[in-house]
Amino acid sequence: MARIVMKFGGTSMAGTERIRRVANIVRKQQAAGHEVAVVVSAMAGETDRLVNFCREANALYDPAEYDVVVSSGEQVTSGLLALTLQSMGCKARSWLGWQLPVHTIEAHAKARIESIESDALIASMQAGEIAVIPGFQGISDDGRITTLGRGGSDTSAVAVAAALHADRCDIYTDVDGVYTTDPRIVAKAHKLKAVTYEEMLELASVGAKVLQTRSVGLAMKAGVRVQVLSSFLGDDAIPADDLPGTLIVSDDEMNQLVEKGDMERQLVTGIAHDKNEAKVILTRVPDKPGAVAHIFEPLAAASINVDMIIQNVGRDKGETDVTFTVPQADLARAQALLEDKREEIGFNRIITDSKIAKISVVGVGMKSHAGVASNMFRALSDRGINIQAISTSEIKVSVLIDEDETELAVRVLHTAYGLDTEDEAA
Ligand code: ADP
Ligand code: ASP
Ligand code: MG
């Protein structure tokens, strides 16, 4: 017998028919002799709908009230899944974030889980009841509902698995694992049997939305065994216990898989894209000590994450241009803050561009092999794709390009690094 946390995403929970299918998967897992807790997302599209209601009600919405609204999608699906399980003769009940409780910090709309009380959950599972927990939500110290940021149900699931010391956290979604790139963009992408925590963390943080970045960081820290797999397979599908999906593993486990011949070592493990950033150029900034500090301090104080930064070679008269990227959602705020500090910073113009995309190649192989970046630049230039900015980490190279060239760039790089498979993904 094992203790398993099963998480179902929005597409898997979209409508009563799909919830019935999810209930069947859950029921089977319990019938196989396991203790199960289930974490659910809102129905696909529901959270977007709720976010829009908040915007319509008040453009400058209070994040605490926003959380009250947007957390409700998961309350609905957790109740519906418990009802469906009961209709199949299973014992099941929902546990809302404030009931467990899931304690979070107070940062509304982007809260972080601090702890989850698990005693009641364990007692309920041991009594043969299936615990259904709405993802994405928690409660702050002052007793108000919080949410964890978009895609946060993955993090809820991993946190529940850590609190329950679960044997595995299965993340059921609409693809059957983590692929070399988004299979919806590249039909020749192939599924990875395993990926290391470090690579998955990097892939998620540069746009592979199959797992929320924070969920991977938490799994790595707490040593939670995570599998990504599909909820859309038939009754004859390989059971989850036989690990048909993608496992997130430690470096040691990956080395063992490579030694056994179960995994090939590739220089590049995956390619991701992100269309949610915007580029800002400040022209004719004084080229002297302290100038860039003046630009980035107000942005940091407003919790605006700056990603890529380029300071161009100085022009004459001791001036330079500074280019950087911020999340598109923060662009208007960033622009207003910079305009406010125009005198202090001393720039001439702000130029912004939201029609950009960041393309990243990720792989631990880069730590020991040179040439990954130059191959990337060559492959893109051969197709006439212009690179506007570059950033690197130990296991990643990212470039900024025109948004219209996103799909082409991902395909070209997928081929260039030898990741194409012969069989097209379903
Ligand atoms: P859920 O609603 O189940 O949380 P998401 O839409 O958040 O699902 O994440 C699943 C989606 O992630 C897939 O449909 C796929 O388009 C996308 N995706 C992006 N990169 C990858 C990748 N490398 N491997 C698999 N899926 C990916
Ligand atoms: N429903 C939330 C969202 O759409 C959380 C999640 O699905 O993970 O962002
Ligand atoms: Mg998701």
Side-chain angles (χ1 to χ4, degrees):
M1 187 194 75
R3 183 174 287 169
I4 314 271
V5 173
M6 309 169 76
K7 180 258 170 177
F8 293 89
T11 322
S12 312
M13 297 298 291
T16 41
E17 261 320 298
R18 292 196 181 168
I19 293 179
R20 186 159 296 279
R21 179 190 196 118
V22 164
N24 248 317
I25 300 174
V26 172
R27 189 178 55 86
K28 273 201 202 156
Q29 195 66 297
Q30 194 196 35
H34 301 313
E35 282 177 359
V36 291
V38 187
V39 174
V40 293
S41 285
M43 295 190 196
E46 180 62 8
T47 310
D48 287 342
R49 198 174 74 95
L50 296 169
V51 169
N52 275 333
F53 280 140
C54 292
R55 288 197 182 123
E56 281 168 23
N58 182 345
L60 295 173
Y61 51 75
D62 165 14
E65 296 304 342
Y66 163 95
D67 278 350
V68 172
V69 177
V70 301
S71 61
S72 64
E74 273 77 6
Q75 173 160 340
V76 172
T77 47
S78 59
L80 287 175
L81 179 58
L83 285 171
T84 311
L85 285 163
Q86 288 167 1
S87 78
M88 294 174 167
C90 301
K91 286 204 278 178
R93 76 152 277 189
S94 60
W95 294 88
L96 302 185
W98 61 268
Q99 289 171 323
L100 277 175
V102 175
H103 297 287
T104 74
I105 60 166
E106 256 174 54
H108 285 284
K110 50 181 177 209
R112 198 181 60 243
I113 296 176
E114 283 188 313
S115 64
I116 297 182
E117 288 179 32
S118 57
D119 291 355
L121 264 188
I122 291 173
S124 131
M125 288 195 307
Q126 285 175 344
E129 195 170 69
I130 297 169
V132 186
I133 302 153
F136 187 49
Q137 57 174 255
I139 183 168
S140 61
D141 277 351
D142 63 354
R144 302 201 68 176
I145 291 176
T146 51
T147 63
L148 310 179
R150 299 304 305 270
S153 297
D154 296 330
T155 303
S156 305
V158 171
V160 168
L164 292 175
H165 302 289
D167 297 275
R168 212 173 60 236
C169 180
D170 282 341
I171 308 276
Y172 286 85
T173 182
D174 54 6
V175 285
D176 59 356
V178 177
Y179 279 67
T180 44
T181 194
D182 189 339
R184 294 186 198 287
I185 291 200
V186 179
K188 288 183 171 175
H190 65 270
K191 194 177 87 187
L192 298 162
K193 192 179 173 58
V195 57
T196 62
Y197 287 111
E198 193 187 7
E199 287 170 312
M200 193 63 235
L201 192 62
E202 196 85 59
L203 278 169
S205 73
V206 292
K209 71 162 187 166
V210 61
L211 288 177
Q212 197 201 31
T213 310
R214 213 181 253 169
S215 72
V216 187
L218 183 59
M220 180 154 105
K221 197 165 131 221
V224 175
R225 196 168 174 74
V226 175
Q227 173 178 212
V228 177
L229 70 173
S230 174
S231 70
F232 287 88
L233 300 175
D235 285 344
D236 51 352
I238 303 169
D241 292 344
D242 293 343
L243 309 178
T246 300
L247 262 195
I248 319 296
V249 298
S250 64
D251 282 346
D252 285 350
E253 211 173 337
M254 182 58 92
N255 288 336
Q256 287 164 20
L257 288 170
V258 171
E259 269 166 35
K260 275 203 298 180
D262 283 349
M263 283 291 297
E264 259 182 75
R265 213 182 273 291
Q266 297 275 9
L267 209 49
V268 165
T269 301
I271 299 170
H273 69 276
D274 185 354
K275 294 183 178 176
N276 295 316
E277 302 234 330
K279 185 174 74 173
V280 180
I281 304 173
L282 295 184
T283 67
R284 304 183 60 181
V285 176
D287 193 7
K288 62 171 195 215
V292 281
H294 277 136
I295 299 174
F296 296 115
E297 275 164 2
L299 300 179
S303 299
I304 296 176
N305 279 328
V306 174
D307 184 23
M308 299 170 133
I309 303 175
I310 307 177
Q311 178 168 342
N312 298 6
V313 190
R315 306 173 177 221
D316 357 320
K317 300 194 208 123
E319 290 171 340
T320 180
D321 292 349
V322 177
T323 303
F324 55 92
T325 60
V326 295
Q328 247 173 54
D330 291 330
L331 178 62
R333 251 176 358 117
Q335 215 169 334
L337 281 167
L338 293 166
E339 281 293 0
D340 248 18
K341 302 270 174 192
R342 180 184 276 271
E343 289 292 297
E344 220 169 299
I345 303 169
F347 61 88
N348 180 253
R349 276 206 313 147
I350 300 188
I351 304 166
T352 63
D353 185 1
S354 296
K355 260 191 80 269
I356 50 146
K358 185 171 71 175
I359 313 291
S360 307
V361 299
V362 172
V364 284
M366 283 180 216
K367 282 185 188 174
S368 48
H369 285 82
V372 172
S374 64
N375 285 347
M376 183 179 197
F377 306 153
R378 167 60 53 210
L380 294 174
S381 82
D382 283 350
R383 299 302 291 260
I385 299 171
N386 188 39
I387 297 171
Q388 305 177 19
I390 300 166
S391 72
T392 62
S393 78
E394 208 181 7
I395 65 163
K396 174 202 77 185
V397 185
S398 301
V399 295
L400 206 63
I401 62 166
D402 188 306
E403 189 185 66
D404 290 342
E405 295 177 319
T406 308
E407 281 76 15
L408 174 65
V410 173
R411 280 199 200 102
V412 163
L413 293 173
H414 199 265
T415 306
Y417 290 109
L419 297 175
D420 288 352
T421 171
E422 289 313 309
D423 334 313
E424 302 227 327

